[in-house]
Amino acid sequence: MKFIVLSGSPKGVKSVTLQYIRYIENAFPQHELKVIHVTQRIRRLETDRSAFDAVMHEIGQADGIFWATPVYYLLVPAGYKRFIELIAENGAQAVFVGKPAAILTTSVHFYDHTAHNYLHAICDDLEMRCLGHFSADMYDLLKAAERKRLEAFATLFFSEATGDVPLPKRFVLLNRPEFRYRPGRRVKSVDSGRHKVLMVTDAINPDSNLDRMYQHLRRCFNGCLGVIDLGALDIKGGCLGCLQCAYDNTCIYAGKDAFNAAYRDRIMRADILIWAGEMTDRYLSSRWKQFFDRSFFMGHTPSLSGKQVGMIISGPLGQNANLRQIIEAYMEMQRASLVGIVTDETGDSAVIDAQLIALARRLIRHADQQFVAPATFLGRAGTILFRDEIWGRLRFPFRADYGHYRRLGLFDFPQHHWPSRLRNALLLFLFRFPGLRRKINQRMKDEMIKPLQKYLRTH
Ligand SMILES: Cc1cc2nc3c(=O)[nH]c(=O)nc-3n(C[C@H](O)[C@H](O)[C@H](O)COP(=O)(O)O)c2cc1C
């Protein structure tokens, strides 16, 4: 059988992910796996319709598809996202209907599940038969057990691709009712005071709901307000995955386009950020994705720490829990404060007006208080994962991150916490004796709140 591999790495043949495909190819010589480097070729596919059509023709002839991509910023690389957008823009969805699909990613398992959810939802939208997911760590191929697992995955995929296993959809179609937002004329604006407010938008369609929401929110602030239009900003291309930035945060594009300077000098210096974007398929636009990917030059450090962030999204975010989780996780990892997200999904202009002005007020109030909510599992688990990686196997090449993590005290390993280690040793020893265990258990609740009560008395 013949399968098409839609390869997502900007590194082309030097992709880590591609080595997993090569492994499958070697293990199953009876099948043909044709690789198309869609991210690497995205410029061409975007501008040359015959090149895009040739890819669609190949897919049409194939018995199944591998979506094979690295995870980039909790999703797929911007170029891959753009390719998915082109399928809809060029009306090529029919080519995919009924085709068996497998999703294969490599990553360090940081929000690989949100990338998989995204690709699975795309398969469901395209009415493909998504038969399986495989999320490999970058270096799993070095382990015999993982190679065996990969072979089992491919065996199952190849055998089920021929059959007609009935598969339930995981993601229902998004419902986007027609609605034109008409902002009210009167705006009671708020004073941004000493806070630097910066809006970042990709309001690509000038007369869209997003554009009108963003213009209305702009009017809600009096005082100096900066704007970055991602559509107009000189961004030469997506992240190349070259890791040149890992040494000292200097991107390979530095001095060649305007992105790095805009990020460092404007975004990182703002107090309040307002990000505006339109839902394009199951995420924001690929332009926004490029923004996130390119910010990788700042490494794994929380470069937006302490900022207050409001978002305006045009689209049914309430039906897209995966996107909301991506946004929340991103903000928590950044140690930024996600104050609120206003969408147009209520379908009521007056409600949206009220929510926009409320968002403006809340942003100022949060900035006054310098409030950043404590991280939930999303931020906490991600931070621990990065802590271990940057201290361990990723210390090289991420030299700059290692320095930042040390300075910021992010290497907070539990084995360095001597008071709890000593307490554990003592109490675990005493726990062995039934009489003492009974006594300790009797005091457990009191002892748990005792250290906290010390602070209650002082207020
Ligand atoms: C810009 C960028 C963003 C990344 N984002 C993530 C991520 O969100 N989660 C993760 O686990 N790994 C992330 N990674 C690591 C890659 O997924 C990983 O190195 C992958 O194996 C690279 O595959 P490739 O060589 O096929 O491109 C990121 C790497 C880059 C360069």
Side-chain angles (χ1 to χ4, degrees):
M1 289 198 293
K2 182 178 173 181
F3 293 87
I4 293 293
V5 178
L6 296 172
S7 163
S9 176
K11 295 189 278 178
V13 291
K14 300 212 169 137
S15 146
V16 168
T17 317
L18 199 65
Q19 311 316 307
Y20 289 73
I21 292 293
R22 294 286 176 233
Y23 185 84
I24 295 175
E25 205 174 24
N26 289 341
F28 298 87
Q30 67 275 34
H31 298 303
E32 185 190 343
L33 268 62
K34 168 141 197 206
V35 178
I36 305 178
H37 296 289
V38 292
T39 301
Q40 206 180 39
R41 293 182 57 206
I42 195 60
R43 280 262 168 77
R44 177 89 195 275
L45 297 175
E46 219 178 0
T47 50
D48 178 350
R49 182 62 200 259
S50 61
F52 178 82
D53 287 345
V55 172
M56 292 304 118
H57 180 72
E58 296 265 21
I59 292 172
Q61 304 290 305
D63 296 297
I65 304 288
F66 280 94
W67 297 94
T69 179
V71 176
Y72 268 23
Y73 273 93
L74 309 85
L75 205 87
V76 299
Y80 211 51
K81 169 80 174 60
R82 182 69 193 126
F83 173 72
I84 290 166
E85 288 172 6
L86 287 177
I87 297 168
E89 279 174 32
N90 293 333
Q93 295 96 326
V95 176
F96 293 81
V97 174
K99 292 256 182 249
I103 295 166
L104 191 157
T105 63
T106 64
S107 68
V108 294
H109 292 303
F110 172 77
Y111 286 90
D112 48 348
H113 68 292
T114 47
H116 282 238
N117 284 343
Y118 170 75
L119 286 172
H120 198 132
I122 294 298
C123 287
D124 284 352
D125 289 348
L126 291 171
E127 296 188 41
M128 301 182 83
R129 296 170 50 232
C130 187
L131 287 162
H133 295 237
F134 197 95
S135 173
D137 175 87
M138 288 177 72
Y139 289 109
D140 272 351
L141 215 47
L142 304 180
K143 301 174 196 149
E146 294 304 329
R147 291 194 295 272
K148 202 169 152 214
R149 199 202 301 260
L150 184 63
E151 279 181 45
F153 171 73
T155 303
L156 285 167
F157 176 61
F158 291 137
S159 64
E160 291 184 341
T162 44
D164 53 358
V165 186
L167 291 169
K169 281 194 172 192
R170 264 176 65 187
F171 299 90
V172 289
L173 269 182
L174 297 176
N175 178 24
R176 293 184 89 146
E178 274 294 307
F179 163 65
R180 187 176 163 83
Y181 164 60
R182 293 174 202 282
R185 276 170 208 274
R186 283 186 36 178
V187 181
K188 259 183 132 186
S189 56
V190 292
D191 190 358
S192 48
R194 64 195 158 82
H195 307 298
K196 267 189 253 155
V197 186
L198 179 67
M199 296 185 88
V200 186
T201 178
D202 72 335
I204 291 164
N205 306 318
D207 195 32
S208 59
N209 278 358
L210 179 68
D211 194 50
R212 285 189 295 275
M213 285 161 79
Y214 144 80
Q215 298 294 354
H216 191 73
L217 187 59
R218 260 181 98 170
R219 295 211 306 271
C220 291
F221 287 96
N222 59 37
C224 188
L225 195 78
V227 175
I228 294 179
D229 176 356
L230 291 178
L233 189 71
D234 175 25
I235 306 179
K236 287 274 183 293
C239 174
L240 302 173
C242 64
L243 305 188
Q244 303 273 313
C245 56
Y247 182 74
D248 62 357
N249 300 126
T250 305
C251 177
I252 191 130
Y253 288 103
K256 298 190 181 117
D257 71 13
F259 181 83
N260 302 79
Y263 193 87
R264 260 193 222 267
D265 301 341
R266 300 189 64 197
I267 292 173
M268 283 175 62
R269 289 196 185 154
D271 303 309
I272 295 176
L273 290 165
I274 297 165
W275 291 359
E278 185 148 5
M279 255 176 74
T280 315
D281 58 62
R282 300 278 180 158
Y283 186 76
L284 302 170
S285 66
S286 50
R287 192 69 174 174
W288 260 112
K289 189 64 193 29
Q290 201 173 54
F291 169 93
F292 293 117
D293 291 0
R294 284 289 304 273
S295 71
F296 190 69
F297 79 98
M298 288 306 301
H300 301 80
T301 47
S303 56
L304 304 181
S305 180
K307 312 229 173 287
Q308 302 296 331
V309 187
M311 287 189 77
I312 318 171
I313 293 180
S314 174
L317 181 66
Q319 299 169 42
N320 192 346
N322 196 49
L323 177 55
R324 184 171 274 276
Q325 185 176 117
I326 288 172
I327 294 169
E328 288 175 354
Y330 174 83
M331 295 301 172
E332 289 194 14
M333 290 303 297
Q334 287 290 349
R335 303 184 171 208
S337 161
L338 180 62
V339 176
I341 307 177
V342 176
T343 72
D344 55 357
E345 58 198 323
T346 57
D348 184 328
S349 297
V351 170
I352 296 169
D353 282 354
Q355 288 178 351
L356 288 172
I357 183 72
L359 178 62
R361 288 207 184 97
R362 297 187 71 220
L363 282 163
I364 303 292
R365 243 181 268 140
H366 277 63
D368 287 342
Q369 293 294 326
Q370 299 183 344
F371 174 70
V372 179
T376 66
F377 180 79
L378 302 179
R380 188 71 195 118
T383 302
I384 290 173
L385 189 152
F386 280 170
R387 177 195 71 188
D388 291 1
E389 292 288 0
I390 300 298
W391 189 87
R393 63 177 178 165
L394 295 186
R395 189 181 307 190
F396 173 81
F398 290 97
R399 171 191 173 270
D401 276 344
Y402 184 77
H404 291 310
Y405 271 52
R406 282 194 69 160
R407 274 191 294 283
L408 295 170
L410 296 179
F411 291 128
D412 56 352
F413 300 103
Q415 61 269 36
H416 294 160
H417 195 251
W418 283 101
S420 56
R421 289 186 70 175
L422 291 171
R423 193 201 55 203
N424 292 342
L426 177 69
L427 290 175
L428 284 170
F429 174 72
L430 298 179
F431 238 31
R432 290 183 186 174
F433 306 100
L436 287 174
R437 191 158 64 238
R438 240 186 337 272
K439 277 198 176 142
I440 293 172
N441 281 337
Q442 274 164 6
R443 297 190 50 177
M444 191 74 88
K445 289 186 200 158
D446 289 323
E447 290 299 325
M448 278 170 79
I449 58 172
K450 202 161 139 190
L452 307 176
Q453 286 176 328
K454 197 167 83 189
Y455 294 94
L456 303 183
R457 283 194 285 272
T458 58
H459 290 283

